[in-house]
Amino acid sequence: MVRLLQPKHMVQAVNALHWRNSVEFHKLLKDNGDFSICFNSEQVLPQKISVEKMVKMLPRHLIAVVMTPNKDGKSRYILCGIRLLQTLCDLTPRNAKLEQVLLDDVKLSAQMIDLVILVIIALGRNRKESCNSNKESLLEATLVASCLHLFHGFISPNSQDLVLVLLAHPRVDVFIDSAFGAVLNVVISLKAKLLYRQTDSPKKLGASSVEEVNFHCQQAEAALQFLHSLCQHKPFRERVAKNKELCGKGGVLRLAQSILSLTITPEFVGATVTIASTSRMKAKVLSILQHLFEAESVSFLDEVANAGNLHLAKTVASEVLKLLRLGLSKASMATASPDYPMGFVLLNAMRLADVLTDDSNFRSFFTEHFSMVLSAVFCLSHGDFLSMLCSSDLSSREDDANVDYDLFKSAGWILSVFSSSGQSVTPQFKLSLQNNLTMSSYAHQRTSLFIKMIANLHCFVPNVCQEQDRNRFIQNVMSGLRKDPSSILIKMLPGSSYTPVAQRGTGVCRNLGSLLRHAESLIPSSLNEEDFLLLRVFCDQLQPLIHSEFEESQVQVKDIEGRGGNLSGKLKELLNLNNEEASEDCDVRVEGVMTKQGVNEEIDAVERLKESDADASNLETSGSDTSSNRGKGLVEEGELVQNMSKRFKGSASGEVKEDEKSETFLVFEKQKKKRKRSIMNADQMGMIEKALAEEPDLQRNSASRQLWADKISQKVSSRILLFLISNHVLRTMRSLIT
């Protein structure tokens, strides 16, 4: 017997011992009391090695192999070494001495970190446009996933601990760039393999081919899952967002594009595993993009635009739009299975779309394309519309899961493919469910995100949006409503039923009323008041266009006005704002800059509260199980006036819960992260009423208005004061109440 110390002896030990799992290794150590182990090599005599010496030499030995020029079997041997290291790490809880040698030695831990980083750099250095041979691509996919998950073995299973260690490493930026590149290479080879399978007949696919596709997909998912776990932590994703090589030059976007464009045919046997795996990958990469786009330290999309790669981001946006269309259709539910969670694809796509629709780089894109999807949704039959957006009990929901990755089994299977002892069954990893959303919470989040996208696109922001885009979104929605549902709209949401053209106006208005009522019930737990008010503005501006477009809706409006008597015309006259005067006198803060800008479109919600409430009460029916019945039966003049007053103070002003006596008048000030509010309490309202009482013609006298603004400047913002006085809103309120 000899004790092995030379590199050639290390090779023999690695090749022989990596097949032993932790249980078998533990038994071998117990059989030898001197912390050594015996194994059979290619030599006739069994060999014996000191485990302590082997452990201390193994990381440096593998680093040396990584640094040597390419040669046959290099990748396989490195994977054998990674597998052996994982086995030793798994054994540490049952062997105190091994734990002391392997994990408590700071120098050795640093060498293991360097080893993983070097392997990942080698694997991610060259971006591939095509894949290697089938076996080689499987080997590379396994090596990427195994190296990344080895971090959990010798550092911590907690991703937060990994983030702290990685960010302290001097080559962290190179590692981040290479890790995303290595995963991209794995996805590219998987994509090529799936495309090849699509061109072949399912009957010609052997069992081994299906197993290999499933295995490759699971390795890709495990590798992406590791990156996703790191990006859950703000310090890491901020570091990723600052990586110009990765973000500015489009590395992350190329990875997202490759994953989101993965397509497979479900016909061949075993496809369910692959379909679910690719779907979860899409959900995870959407989540990564959302986190990076919302980074605080740097504008990810601005960096992409400055680098001239905005076209890549728009390609990703196109894929997001496809997922929105599919996710909102009934057809998307056909492949869902509780045994194979598909991930939060729709929910994460909507979260990312919420970010993109609020970004100036993508506003025009979503205005043009999402408006058609929106039109299709509004044209749905009332039952389908309620079940999609106005219900707390959906027929199905998305579930998320993580792969419980088994490095030992994964490496063992692919290594057996290259050996004569090959295994016949591919490993199937367990899935740990990650969904902690109740059905109602999931449904409310989905509806809330849908409303947020409408609010983002309908909110016109001066100095950011172009003037020609002022009413473009609502015009595009109207254009979509005119389409024939038997052609374009059905393509938007396959598997759904639509309102016939003859009842289009009534059906759309009915759906809008249901959405408004349901949205109001989501405040404040799932929806903020500002987004609700923007939705109301959108609906109030859309309904008159629908009335004028569809004859049967016009008949309905006449019926409503007939029941309302002369009050309808009086309200319209009293609440009619002078657009030109308001535009001259109202200053709105836009992203930190004071600009004169009328907020007529947004305040139209206040002007038409009577009309919208009457319309909604006439059109709405039961079926929205979580919506309140507020606003129904407002046909009597007294009730209508009372409701008008409450609506103005509640919906239009926005209640401040910390002080029940204070009220908020919403001014649409667009900030980078959120729209701000200006506060005005009852005393300040009284001072403005006093000004109107003393000078009835105040709205026509700009000098007097400015004088009163100076008097009340300590109490209320002058721009709000001038806006209210110039449009005599309070006078309208007083005349209505009295």
Side-chain angles (χ1 to χ4, degrees):
M1 301 229 181
V2 294
R3 296 190 181 275
L4 306 177
L5 297 172
Q6 300 300 317
K8 64 178 182 178
H9 298 145
M10 286 294 299
V11 173
Q12 294 173 0
V14 170
N15 286 330
L17 294 175
H18 79 86
W19 294 106
R20 302 283 188 176
N21 60 34
S22 59
V23 176
E24 295 171 337
F25 216 103
H26 181 62
K27 185 176 183 302
L28 291 174
L29 281 176
K30 288 182 66 176
D31 292 341
N32 296 275
D34 56 352
F35 202 53
S36 62
I37 194 170
C38 294
F39 62 91
N40 294 321
S41 67
E42 297 176 356
Q43 301 178 8
V44 178
L45 296 176
Q47 305 296 310
K48 186 175 183 180
I49 188 172
S50 167
V51 174
E52 181 175 358
K53 291 181 179 179
M54 181 186 69
V55 168
K56 290 184 176 180
M57 282 189 64
L58 187 54
R60 284 182 296 162
H61 169 69
L62 293 175
I63 289 174
V65 174
V66 174
M67 301 297 290
T68 57
N70 290 333
K71 60 181 181 180
D72 292 340
K74 176 180 174 179
S75 296
R76 275 176 281 166
Y77 181 75
I78 293 173
L79 183 58
C80 292
I82 296 294
R83 190 188 191 202
L84 179 57
L85 281 173
Q86 180 64 49
T87 300
L88 294 170
C89 291
D90 291 341
L91 189 58
T92 53
R94 290 182 287 179
N95 193 300
K97 187 173 183 180
L98 182 60
E99 181 179 14
Q100 182 180 7
V101 173
L102 185 62
L103 303 182
D104 293 347
D105 189 329
V106 177
K107 184 177 180 180
L108 186 60
S109 296
Q111 291 175 357
M112 295 178 71
I113 295 175
D114 290 339
L115 168 64
V116 174
I117 291 178
L118 283 173
V119 175
I120 293 298
I121 290 174
L123 294 170
R125 182 180 295 123
N126 298 319
R127 303 292 190 262
K128 296 183 178 180
E129 299 302 330
S130 61
C131 64
N132 295 325
S133 66
N134 191 39
K135 289 183 179 180
E136 291 294 333
S137 64
L138 290 174
L139 175 63
E140 181 178 302
T142 309
L143 190 54
V144 171
S146 296
C147 281
L148 293 176
H149 281 268
L150 182 61
F151 276 128
H152 289 307
F154 69 88
I155 294 180
S156 171
N158 190 333
S159 59
Q160 185 174 5
D161 296 333
L162 291 180
V163 167
L164 296 176
V165 173
L166 290 173
L167 291 181
H169 197 278
R171 304 192 70 183
V172 59
D173 293 315
V174 179
F175 166 76
I176 290 174
D177 182 40
S178 300
F180 276 88
V183 177
L184 173 60
N185 287 339
V186 173
V187 174
I188 289 175
S189 60
L190 172 63
K191 184 177 181 179
K193 191 173 297 184
L194 292 173
L195 289 174
Y196 172 77
R197 298 306 179 201
Q198 285 183 337
T199 63
D200 203 352
S201 171
K203 296 180 180 179
K204 295 181 181 180
L205 290 174
S208 60
S209 298
V210 175
E211 289 178 350
E212 289 172 1
V213 171
N214 288 341
F215 180 81
H216 196 148
C217 198
Q218 290 183 20
Q219 300 305 308
E221 181 184 2
L224 181 69
Q225 179 178 295
F226 180 86
L227 296 180
H228 178 259
S229 67
L230 298 182
C231 288
Q232 297 301 300
H233 304 285
K234 182 178 178 180
F236 187 84
R237 63 176 177 259
E238 292 288 333
R239 191 63 174 259
V240 173
K242 292 179 181 178
N243 191 311
K244 294 185 179 296
E245 289 293 322
L246 182 61
C247 298
K249 294 188 177 180
V252 171
L253 293 175
R254 288 188 180 90
L255 174 61
Q257 179 186 358
S258 297
I259 292 175
L260 295 177
S261 61
L262 287 175
T263 55
I264 55 176
T265 53
E267 289 84 6
F268 61 86
V269 178
T272 308
V273 175
T274 302
I275 290 172
S277 182
T278 55
S279 181
R280 291 192 298 269
M281 288 172 62
K282 292 178 181 181
K284 285 179 172 61
V285 81
L286 289 169
S287 177
I288 290 175
L289 287 179
Q290 179 203 347
H291 287 312
L292 295 180
F293 287 0
E294 292 181 326
E296 298 178 0
S297 60
V298 63
S299 173
F300 183 97
L301 290 173
D302 285 348
E303 290 294 324
V304 172
N306 293 336
N309 287 318
L310 202 56
H311 64 283
L312 290 175
K314 290 186 177 179
T315 302
V316 172
S318 297
E319 295 293 338
V320 171
L321 196 65
K322 292 179 184 177
L323 292 174
L324 290 177
R325 270 204 321 263
L326 181 61
L328 291 172
S329 69
K330 285 187 174 181
S332 66
M333 301 303 174
T335 57
S337 170
D339 297 328
Y340 300 98
M342 306 288 282
F344 292 134
V345 179
L346 175 59
L347 211 59
N348 288 346
M350 296 180 80
R351 287 166 179 162
L352 184 57
D354 176 32
V355 177
L356 292 175
T357 53
D358 203 27
D359 186 272
S360 59
N361 293 303
F362 291 91
R363 182 183 178 92
S364 296
F365 176 85
F366 276 90
T367 295
E368 179 179 356
H369 298 288
F370 180 69
S371 56
M372 296 301 298
V373 177
L374 196 63
S375 299
V377 171
F378 288 146
C379 287
L380 290 174
S381 65
H382 193 55
D384 279 359
F385 185 85
L386 290 179
S387 63
M388 176 189 292
L389 293 172
C390 303
S391 174
S392 298
D393 187 18
L394 304 177
S395 59
S396 62
R397 70 175 183 195
E398 296 174 310
D399 288 299
D400 198 14
N402 279 340
V403 172
D404 289 335
Y405 187 69
D406 192 322
L407 192 161
F408 184 85
K409 288 183 178 180
S410 294
W413 183 84
I414 187 58
L415 290 171
S416 70
V417 172
F418 286 91
S419 70
S420 58
S421 63
Q423 299 176 356
S424 59
V425 180
T426 55
Q428 295 295 325
F429 304 124
K430 295 180 181 179
L431 296 174
S432 57
L433 294 177
Q434 300 296 308
N435 182 35
N436 56 359
L437 296 177
T438 63
M439 180 64 80
S440 61
S441 178
Y442 175 83
H444 293 168
Q445 283 193 41
R446 200 170 74 168
T447 302
S448 174
L449 290 166
F450 182 83
I451 293 171
K452 285 176 180 292
M453 287 186 278
I454 296 176
N456 290 341
L457 293 174
H458 191 59
C459 182
F460 184 82
V461 187
N463 296 344
V464 175
C465 306
Q466 298 181 5
E467 183 62 30
Q468 59 266 29
D469 294 335
R470 178 179 292 272
N471 296 311
R472 185 180 171 194
F473 175 62
I474 200 166
Q475 291 170 354
N476 283 6
V477 173
M478 276 303 303
S479 176
L481 294 178
R482 300 186 188 102
K483 302 291 184 181
D484 181 2
S486 64
S487 56
I488 297 180
L489 293 185
I490 285 181
K491 294 179 182 179
M492 287 289 159
L493 300 177
S496 302
S497 60
Y498 292 91
T499 302
V501 177
Q503 290 84 40
R504 179 69 55 79
T506 300
V508 172
C509 289
R510 190 182 188 190
N511 289 340
L512 291 175
S514 296
L515 181 61
L516 277 172
R517 281 176 163 74
H518 183 64
E520 191 170 7
S521 73
L522 300 181
I523 301 173
S525 59
S526 301
L527 185 69
N528 63 57
E529 294 181 8
E530 186 174 329
D531 288 326
F532 170 75
L533 182 54
L534 279 167
L535 174 66
R536 174 174 283 278
V537 172
F538 169 78
C539 293
D540 287 343
Q541 292 182 347
L542 184 62
Q543 285 182 356
L545 298 177
I546 295 174
H547 296 161
S548 63
E549 181 70 26
F550 301 99
E551 182 178 357
E552 43 87 21
S553 291
Q554 292 176 342
V555 174
Q556 183 184 43
V557 172
K558 291 179 182 178
D559 180 62
I560 294 173
E561 291 180 349
R563 286 186 291 167
N566 295 329
L567 181 62
S568 175
K570 182 179 179 181
L571 283 173
K572 289 182 179 178
E573 179 181 356
L574 288 173
L575 287 179
N576 181 38
L577 303 184
N578 186 320
N579 292 343
E580 294 181 2
E581 190 176 42
S583 179
E584 292 177 356
D585 293 334
C586 183
D587 289 338
V588 181
R589 183 175 299 276
V590 181
E591 296 196 0
V593 180
M594 289 298 296
T595 60
K596 288 190 174 183
Q597 174 61 47
V599 291
N600 316 79
E601 292 89 4
E602 290 79 6
I603 304 303
D604 280 346
V606 180
E607 294 180 292
R608 291 190 299 275
L609 281 171
K610 178 262 173 182
E611 299 173 31
S612 62
D613 284 340
D615 290 348
S617 65
N618 183 65
L619 295 174
E620 176 67 356
T621 62
S622 61
S624 178
D625 59 337
T626 60
S627 300
S628 64
N629 292 322
R630 286 180 288 238
K632 291 187 177 180
L634 300 179
V635 294
E636 295 298 326
E637 179 173 335
E639 292 179 1
L640 179 61
V641 170
Q642 184 180 10
N643 181 73
M644 180 72 183
S645 176
K646 291 181 179 179
R647 287 280 189 176
F648 183 80
K649 292 184 179 181
S651 296
S653 299
E655 185 179 1
V656 179
K657 299 190 175 185
E658 289 78 9
D659 183 1
E660 294 183 357
K661 295 182 179 180
S662 66
E663 295 173 349
T664 302
F665 186 87
L666 238 174
V667 178
F668 293 83
E669 304 177 78
K670 185 73 173 181
Q671 303 291 339
K672 289 184 178 181
K673 294 298 179 184
K674 58 183 178 180
R675 292 173 284 271
K676 300 295 185 181
R677 287 183 170 86
S678 298
I679 306 301
M680 185 166 61
N681 59 31
D683 293 338
Q684 296 160 355
M685 294 281 286
M687 296 179 70
I688 299 175
E689 286 186 335
K690 180 181 178 181
L692 289 171
E694 293 182 6
E695 297 189 45
D697 296 329
L698 187 60
Q699 69 273 14
R700 299 188 181 90
N701 191 328
S702 59
S704 296
R705 286 203 309 270
Q706 186 59 53
L707 180 63
W708 275 100
D710 294 338
K711 289 181 180 180
I712 313 175
S713 61
Q714 300 296 323
K715 297 289 184 180
V716 64
S717 169
S718 61
R719 68 180 184 278
I720 298 177
L721 171 69
L722 292 177
F723 174 76
L724 291 175
I725 293 177
S726 64
N727 293 285
H728 52 86
V729 174
L730 290 178
R731 173 176 295 180
T732 300
M733 286 293 301
R734 186 166 59 251
S735 65
L736 287 173
I737 296 174
T738 57

